[in-house]
Amino acid sequence: QVRLVESGGGSVQAGGSLKLTCVASGNPIDTYCMGWFRQAPGKEREGVAVITHGGASTFYTADVKGRFTISRDNAKSTMFLQMNSLKPSDTAMYYCAAHQGSCFETSLDAVTRFPYKGQGTQVTVSS
């Protein structure tokens, strides 16, 4: 099993940046597909970005391409989400998640396939 803890959320103005961190404990994460999901009030949870086991491939939802960057450091059991050019529509609770399986672009639409999730970190972007 893997336990995930997110940090780095906060309140910023539109156009600002934040870097989210997800620290894993338990099993080593180098066999896990990992990703970031978000949920805004009144909306369903949606995939933001996923990254393959070694970090060679990444996939993003269209809305964040070119603005967000997902990365991971397996030696430190850590995953990151660098968020630039933030918009008010990015306001949400952000969760990191992991599953032992392959990562595909379709993983963005398969949050239920990620059994391990953190408690979330709030990101609020004001206009």
Side-chain angles (χ1 to χ4, degrees):
Q1 287 195 346
V2 172
R3 179 173 178 265
L4 304 172
V5 178
E6 307 94 336
S7 63
S11 297
V12 297
Q13 290 191 328
S17 298
L18 285 172
K19 185 173 185 177
L20 306 184
T21 299
C22 174
V23 178
S25 59
N27 289 338
I29 64 170
D30 56 356
T31 60
Y32 288 78
C33 168
M34 298 190 71
W36 290 96
F37 295 82
R38 67 185 178 185
Q39 187 166 19
K43 295 188 176 181
E44 292 188 355
R45 193 169 296 191
E46 65 171 348
V48 176
V50 295
I51 184 167
T52 54
H53 308 81
S57 296
T58 57
F59 306 98
Y60 299 90
T61 191
D63 182 53
V64 308
K65 282 183 180 178
R67 300 189 299 121
F68 291 10
T69 303
I70 188 172
S71 61
R72 64 193 293 167
D73 184 341
N74 288 341
K76 296 182 179 180
S77 296
T78 305
M79 179 178 64
F80 306 97
L81 185 67
Q82 176 67 47
M83 306 186 294
N84 299 327
S85 302
L86 283 161
K87 306 174 182 179
S89 57
D90 294 317
T91 295
M93 185 71 78
Y94 284 71
Y95 301 87
C96 69
H99 80 84
Q100 281 188 303
S102 299
C103 266
F104 304 99
E105 188 166 13
T106 53
S107 299
L108 289 166
D109 298 321
V111 63
T112 56
R113 292 188 177 180
F114 289 76
Y116 306 109
K117 299 180 183 68
Q119 292 300 306
T121 185
Q122 178 67 37
V123 172
T124 302
V125 185
S126 59
S127 58

